[in-house]
Amino acid sequence: MIDYNDRIPNNVDLAANRTLQRALEQWQPQFISWWQTTGPSDFQAADVYLRTAIGVDAKGWANYDYVRMPDYRWGIFLAEPEPDRRIGFGDELGKPVWQHVPGEHRSTLRRLIVTQGDTEPASVEQQRILGHTAPSLYDLRNLFQINVEEGRHLWAMVYLLHAYFGRDGREEAEALLMRRSGSRDNPRILTTFNEPIEDWLSLFMFTFFTDRDGKFQLKSLAESSFDPLARTCRFMLTEEAHHMFVGDTGIQRVVRRTLEVMNELGTDDVERIREAGALDLPLVQRYLNFWCSSSLDLFGAEISSNAAAYFATGLKGRPDEAKFKDHCERDTTYELEVFADGAVRTESVPYRNAVNEVVRNEYLADCERGLSRWNKWIERAGLGVRLRLPSARFNRTVGVWAGIPTAPDGRLVDRATFEAHRDLWLPTQSDRAYVRSLMRPVYEPGKMAAWIAPPDKGIKDKPIAYEYVRLA
Ligand code: BYC
């Protein structure tokens, strides 16, 4: 069980390590100050119907109640240790996992933890202004639930930095509160986390595509030989599921509302759909193309010596490592497409160097499941169009496809063709302005903005019309 009597709730017996406890207690007010200045703008005095973990197993989410966000009990929760856990992959396969950081892996492991940790506050910063335009109290509550949990995920990484990386770790923990999403001087580390999220369609795309990268990265880190990292990621994954649910159902509700409007008007004419205040499917597709391609970059380069080293040394594995047959992949190869000398060819590379690509492909298959659910609604409405994932070649800035102009279906095109079609393939200024024009807050319990259908059900068996946020 989690001890909520401590100033920092935890299940790691923090009280037994006074030095660590003091160091984290010094970081805590800096975190609160970061939250107050860069977290959700306003709403800090509102009572929000939030879940708080009371334990770290599947039933640990029993506690739902009204909480003011600054009073949320951010803390340190690791999944229970697995007795006699062994290294599951790489050159050290079968040896006991590490409870401390081996000296030779210290800086690489720190870099991985910092990169993971950096995304968490970044996403809170990106979503800062969305409360002002929530399409319903239900959605507003979900936004804040996500925000406080991303704050907790930052705590998870900061705990590891403080507990296992000494002075360097403490400095990195401070730097995590100093970088800012979108800042020119001190930006967040990974590209997607510097993109603005100024409307709710972007939020739903981000929570569908980018939080799903989080799922796959956390699953890879949950396999780590460094056991405290594995355990903290296992617990983080239980929180992540709701974030992806918000994206998945959010886009589905947008699509359903658009289909309703199309049906009422009997047209697929974009202008008429927009006049009726809904989001036309071509616009939804452009947003999807943008957020999917940006999130594909987050897996790193197709051929990566970093990824090979993480795998060999046991620092970072593949999601659900147990399901793979070969956990060593020492002399195996992987075939992937590369672009060289103006042409596409298939290259055989050492498997370990292609781990980013293996994980990216699993991610794409997972995304595809969401799309097929949305497309079922479109099919049922009797329409021939479908939402599609862009090719992994499209609009990339990292890896072998970086800067290579292609169409969303992966067809190679020349730069002029790409530029001529950009407005068909990626969100335009006028798309963004239109979406922004729809962003008006709806704070009456049970009411929804006109561009989105209501959810199927409320939170924790409460009705949709429940007052999920009591505005101060
Ligand atoms: N933008 O060998 P390469 C989440 C850097 S999301 C900018 O290709 P590697 C969440 C890379 O860092 C999950 N830079 O890549 C979601 C490297 O730099 P260094 C976050 C990039 O190392 C929603 C260099 O390029 N977790 O949790 O194999 C809300 C060469 O890299 C990018 C993690 O990412 C990019 N897109 O793989 C809240 C897990 N891509 O180190 C939260 C930890 C690459 O040479 N991170 N670079 O200076 C990692 O495992 C790896 O760093 C990456 C890259 C998978 C990101």
Side-chain angles (χ1 to χ4, degrees), residues 112 116 119-120 150 191 210 213 297 301 304 306 310 316 356:
L112 278 173
Q116 176 64 50
T119 63
E120 318 290 359
E150 299 302 7
T191 38
T210 312
D213 168 56
D297 276 343
S304 164
N306 283 347
Y310 303 151
K316 183 183 172 198
N356 288 344

Side-chain angles (χ1 to χ4, degrees), residues 305-347:
S305 56
N306 283 347
Y310 303 151
F311 190 84
T313 51
L315 297 183
K316 183 183 172 198
R318 293 168 292 190
D320 304 311
E321 183 60 44
K323 80 176 185 204
F324 292 88
K325 276 206 194 79
D326 180 349
H327 300 299
C328 216
E329 305 287 4
R330 203 189 303 272
D331 302 312
T332 47
T333 54
Y334 188 87
E335 309 249 300
L336 48 77
E337 279 187 338
V338 297
F339 183 79
D341 305 324
V344 182
R345 59 186 165 76
T346 303
E347 199 170 293

